[in-house]
Amino acid sequence: SLRDTVPRGDCETVCPNTPCFSEVAYSQSTGQKEQLSRCLQRGIRRVQDLCKVLQLPTVFEETAVSYVQRALQHPSFHLVSLEKKELLGGCCVFVTCRQHNWPLTMGTICSLLYAKQELFASVYLSLQKELELSVPALSLADLVKTHLNSFRLFQHAADIPAPFVENKEKVVARTMQIVELASETWLVTGRHPVPIVTAAAFLSWQSLQPATRLACTLARFCKLARVDLPPPAHLRLKELLEILLRMASQLAWLRVFNLDKKTVVKHIGDLLQHRIFLLKSAFCPEDEEEQQCAAAPGEASPGSAAGAVQGGGCPSAGKRRPLLPPCLVNPRKRLRTAAPSASDSAVTGEEPISDGEIEQYLRGPEEIRAFRKAQACAAAPSTLPTPCLATCCI
């Protein structure tokens, strides 16, 4: 036939009107091998959408797409749930931003994907482990700048009062100082940084124009800035104000004022300017505290202000307490066990025997010798006199 005699490449030349009948595989004719799976297509599309929303450079998008392709082709992610597969794209974008030193929080990705932070964190750790990715930590300075970029109080708008608009550079600089103060006083250790940054931004914003902003609450501040209010932010704000009040008690020109948690905001600039000296004056180390309590247990420290918060260990009023983490200053209360009732304390004879009771039944040295003697008598009764056998058995 013509197909058998004519070379494959010359079919159209010899017989242009006759189609070439050379066998072609189905996958080669349709490009099936080049097609991506539906799951991989959705993952790539999700990564591209996240990069567009976050306005990331093209290099970031290419890196994140390569990570999601590697992850979805990895055997460890073949049998995971659909919810976790949908979070893989967000984890790849998060890893890419961290590797390029682009400040991005996990909460931002979770809010865009409507995902739970616990589930996102588990997928992120699995991705980092399986693909052996090196992810640098995010510094507080980068986090402060990134978090404050989403605030709407730095430009005039119709729904924002004019006295509430503030210069962005001033707020960022003072927020950085307050966050550094929180880091030096153990308020950052082991905690989520976003609530602390939110509380610090609120204090810095208030202190720049305290006359018109002291009446504004933290909830209203976040509402005007159009940022979420983390639930622990109120507690972090309270702890920061307590630190500032203790520092203010060490300044001579502030002792004449009756400062509280609202009025101390007016003097945040002075407190931050002298924060190294004030921290050393307001808080004393544990060894110094013990020496003061041992030397004069009934006297207060000369540098402390009246009404300052008392620490544990020394009952003197107004003394300085050591600078400790909040978990040690205010430990969690343990649950008390209920007292046993009369019916529970009654002896029934079915109680388990404790180790101490078992030790009471152990024989002493004399009993052990007599028991061994009786065992010897029972083993060879013919070789021993009858009185001895009776005595040993008794």
Side-chain angles (χ1 to χ4, degrees), residues 241-255:
L241 289 173
E242 290 177 354
I243 296 294
L244 293 173
L245 278 174
R246 184 169 291 276
M247 293 168 60
S249 66
Q250 304 302 313
L251 285 178
W253 63 86
L254 293 181
R255 292 179 184 176

Side-chain angles (χ1 to χ4, degrees), residues 127-370:
L127 176 70
Q128 185 179 359
K129 177 183 177 182
E130 298 299 336
L131 299 187
E132 298 180 355
L133 301 176
S134 176
V135 183
L138 180 64
S139 64
L140 278 176
D142 296 335
L143 181 59
V144 169
K145 296 178 182 177
T146 304
H147 190 57
L148 294 185
N149 283 337
S150 59
F151 283 39
R152 291 185 60 254
L153 294 174
F154 307 130
Q155 54 187 356
H156 293 275
D159 56 341
I160 300 178
F164 286 3
V165 180
E166 189 52 71
N167 181 269
K168 179 181 177 180
E169 301 300 329
K170 293 182 180 179
V171 177
V172 171
R174 182 157 291 188
T175 303
M176 279 296 307
Q177 293 178 342
I178 297 179
V179 170
E180 290 175 359
L181 174 65
S183 178
E184 294 171 355
T185 53
W186 296 94
L187 299 184
V188 180
T189 306
R191 288 169 164 178
H192 292 287
V194 174
I196 298 175
V197 174
T198 304
F202 173 64
L203 287 178
S204 63
W205 173 79
Q206 272 191 328
S207 63
L208 290 173
Q209 293 186 26
T212 57
R213 298 172 181 173
L214 282 181
C216 182
T217 61
L218 178 60
R220 187 188 177 192
F221 168 77
C222 293
K223 184 177 181 181
L224 291 174
R226 291 191 180 180
V227 294
D228 295 331
L229 174 60
H234 290 284
L235 299 177
R236 304 293 89 84
L237 177 61
K238 180 181 177 182
E239 293 171 347
L240 283 172
L241 289 173
E242 290 177 354
I243 296 294
L244 293 173
L245 278 174
R246 184 169 291 276
M247 293 168 60
S249 66
Q250 304 302 313
L251 285 178
W253 63 86
L254 293 181
R255 292 179 184 176
V256 297
F257 301 104
N258 188 15
L259 296 179
D260 55 14
K261 292 183 178 180
K262 283 191 175 181
T263 55
V264 74
V265 178
K266 301 178 182 179
H267 310 282
I268 285 182
D270 295 334
L271 298 178
L272 294 176
Q273 185 179 0
H274 308 284
R275 79 170 190 266
I276 298 178
F277 168 75
L278 294 179
L279 283 177
K280 292 181 179 180
S281 302
F283 300 93
C284 60
E286 287 187 85
D287 52 356
E288 180 182 346
E289 181 73 16
E290 294 175 357
Q291 293 176 3
Q292 291 178 0
C293 291
E299 299 178 0
S301 301
S304 61
V309 182
Q310 294 187 9
C314 185
S316 58
K319 72 177 186 59
R320 297 179 299 169
R321 63 173 173 83
L323 186 59
L324 299 173
C327 60
L328 297 180
V329 177
N330 300 313
R332 292 183 178 180
K333 296 182 180 179
R334 296 182 179 179
L335 297 177
R336 296 182 180 180
T337 57
S341 59
S343 60
D344 296 338
S345 59
V347 180
T348 60
E350 301 295 333
E351 294 81 12
I353 301 176
S354 62
D355 294 340
E357 292 176 336
I358 293 178
E359 292 178 356
Q360 295 178 1
Y361 292 99
L362 296 179
R363 298 182 176 89
E366 297 180 358
E367 291 178 308
I368 292 176
R369 285 194 295 269

Side-chain angles (χ1 to χ4, degrees), residues 57-72:
T58 308
V59 181
F60 290 24
E61 180 179 335
E62 295 174 354
T63 306
V65 167
S66 65
Y67 284 158
V68 76
Q69 288 178 341
R70 289 176 54 191
L72 292 176

